[in-house]
């Protein structure tokens, strides 16, 4: 439990899909992911102050290397805020867990005044798609059920890597959360859930479903074009997201993109 002024918003920064490699010179579809990550982090440092929490919502590493996780964790240090991460399809939780100085980053529930942030592991070893294990669903259900009895908490933000609602591009069908019905049923049964936050499909989305806001955040590297049939990269720049979790349950959020720099990507690629 983090003690804080109840009337202040919780300032969240989300960094997602960094896809870092063991070799910082390596590229994903011609884009150097270390370079684009650093440009996004420079922007965070320049723009944001008083951050309460940083959320790294998966695909931290492209090659599940310890070196990549370490560089991500070290890059969080100047922000002077706790960071939490969840694995994506490219990550390996067992490797992330070997970084003992950053053990705290695997908390699956954090509380800031009137807000709770639930972090769910939707990764399935060796698969691109996601699935919430029974243990994760139970953690979510238990947490949400306890909120009405909590002396302070009124609002919940739920985070996972995979998209729990189908992406808009044809090629994305099948790569999202496979047991989305079970997940959405829990979300929609509990009135305390304000938003679901995710990454995975490398694009900006902000929509509402059954009174809950769904926020997808662009990657810090390559971007996927929405509303297409086949795999297509988008020309928009890497980004991060800020969220101000207001004490009354509202969320003010913004995607902030790198500007003034053109990133070269391989537009001929048919997948990643
Ligand atoms: Fe990704």
């Amino acid at each position: 439990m983090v003690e804080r002024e109840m009337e202040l918003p919780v300032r969240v920064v989300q960094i997602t899909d960094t896809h870092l490699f063991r070799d910082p010179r390596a590229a994903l579809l011609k884009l150097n992911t270390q370079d684009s990550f650093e440009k996004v982090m420079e922007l965070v440092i320049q723009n944001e102050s008083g951050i309460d929490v940083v959320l790294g919502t998966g695909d931290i590493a492209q090659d599940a290397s310890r070196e990549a996780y370490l560089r991500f964790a070290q890059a969080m240090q100047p922000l002077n805020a706790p960071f939490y991460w969840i694995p994506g399809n490219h990550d390996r939780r067992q490797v992330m867990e070997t970084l003992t100085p950053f053990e705290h980053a695997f908390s699956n529930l954090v509380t800031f005044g009137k807000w709770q942030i639930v972090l769910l592991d939707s990764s399935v070893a060796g698969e691109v798609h996601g699935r919430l294990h029974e243990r994760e669903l139970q953690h979510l259900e238990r947490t949400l059920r306890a909120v009405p009895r909590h002396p302070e908490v009124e609002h919940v933000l739920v985070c996972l890597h995979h998209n729990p609602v189908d992406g808009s591009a044809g090629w994305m069908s099948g790569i999202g959360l496979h047991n989305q019905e079970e997940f959405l049923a829990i979300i929609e049964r509990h009135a305390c859930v304000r938003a679901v936050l995710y990454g995975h499909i490398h694009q900006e989305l902000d929509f509402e479903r059954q009174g809950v806001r769904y926020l997808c955040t662009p990657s810090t590297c390559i971007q996927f074009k929405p509303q297409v049939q086949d795999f297509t990269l988008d020309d928009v720049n890497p980004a991060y997201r800020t969220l101000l979790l207001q004490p009354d349950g509202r969320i003010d959020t913004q995607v902030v993109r790198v500007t003034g720099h053109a990133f070269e990507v391989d537009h001929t690629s048919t997948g990643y």
Side-chain angles (χ1 to χ4, degrees):
M1 174 77 187
V2 179
E3 293 300 326
R4 56 174 296 105
E5 287 281 339
M6 297 293 282
E7 64 275 14
L8 288 178
V10 185
R11 305 182 81 90
V12 181
V13 168
Q14 181 196 9
I15 309 280
T16 195
D17 295 83
T18 45
H19 291 264
L20 304 179
F21 292 84
R22 171 179 284 127
D23 180 353
R25 294 162 304 181
L28 180 62
L29 307 187
K30 283 195 183 162
L31 180 80
N32 179 307
T33 58
Q34 178 68 28
D35 175 55
S36 62
F37 171 54
E38 283 175 14
K39 289 202 165 51
V40 170
M41 292 308 295
E42 281 166 22
L43 203 56
V44 174
I45 290 166
Q46 180 190 316
N47 289 349
E48 311 301 331
S49 57
I51 301 169
D52 291 303
V53 56
V54 182
L55 303 172
T57 48
D59 281 1
I60 307 291
Q62 171 73 7
D63 57 6
S65 62
R66 197 170 187 280
E67 292 83 352
Y69 295 124
L70 196 56
R71 286 206 309 282
F72 179 92
Q74 285 167 344
M76 297 301 118
Q77 301 313 299
L79 303 182
N80 283 319
F83 80 87
Y84 300 98
W85 57 18
I86 42 180
N89 44 299
H90 287 277
D91 294 312
R92 274 192 47 211
R93 190 183 179 105
Q94 298 90 317
V95 180
M96 296 162 87
E97 282 173 341
T98 63
L99 281 84
T100 46
F102 305 106
E103 259 170 350
H104 73 279
F106 261 124
S107 302
N108 61 6
L109 178 65
V110 284
T111 305
F112 294 90
K114 291 188 175 182
W115 280 86
Q116 261 181 346
I117 301 174
V118 181
L119 296 116
L120 301 173
D121 180 353
S122 59
S123 66
V124 182
E127 300 289 348
V128 175
H129 73 258
R131 171 173 285 277
L132 288 166
H133 190 276
E134 195 52 40
R135 149 196 89 231
E136 300 295 307
L137 292 170
Q138 281 172 8
H139 163 56
L140 177 64
E141 175 74 44
R142 252 197 322 271
T143 303
L144 299 181
R145 208 179 272 174
V147 168
R149 299 192 304 273
H150 196 287
E152 282 154 14
V153 172
E154 292 176 21
H155 319 293
V156 179
L157 171 70
V158 177
C159 308
L160 73 169
H161 175 68
H162 290 85
N163 50 303
V165 176
D166 286 344
S168 66
W171 69 272
M172 288 174 184
S173 88
I175 70 159
L177 186 70
H178 274 199
N179 53 346
Q180 57 176 251
E181 295 80 11
E182 282 176 271
F183 171 74
L184 294 172
I186 298 173
I187 294 295
E188 288 164 14
R189 231 185 356 255
H190 297 277
C192 55
V193 181
R194 301 286 164 259
V196 177
L197 183 67
Y198 54 99
H200 189 50
I201 49 175
H202 295 214
Q203 60 193 265
E204 178 180 2
L205 295 172
D206 183 347
F207 60 93
E208 209 178 286
R209 183 192 144 108
Q210 304 286 329
V212 178
R213 205 160 167 193
Y214 289 78
L215 299 165
C216 179
T217 300
S219 158
T220 66
C221 60
I222 56 172
Q223 311 297 315
F224 300 154
K225 204 176 181 68
Q227 318 280 355
V228 291
Q229 187 53 37
D230 299 322
F231 180 86
T232 312
L233 290 179
D234 208 343
D235 274 328
V236 286
N237 268 357
Y240 68 94
R241 182 185 285 280
T242 60
L243 301 101
L244 282 183
L245 309 179
Q246 302 289 354
D248 64 2
R250 281 180 305 112
I251 298 175
D252 299 316
T253 183
Q254 205 187 349
V255 164
V256 184
R257 292 189 192 269
V258 174
T259 55
H261 185 89
F263 293 86
E264 194 198 340
V265 291
D266 181 6
H267 281 289
T268 63
S269 60
T270 54
Y272 80 114

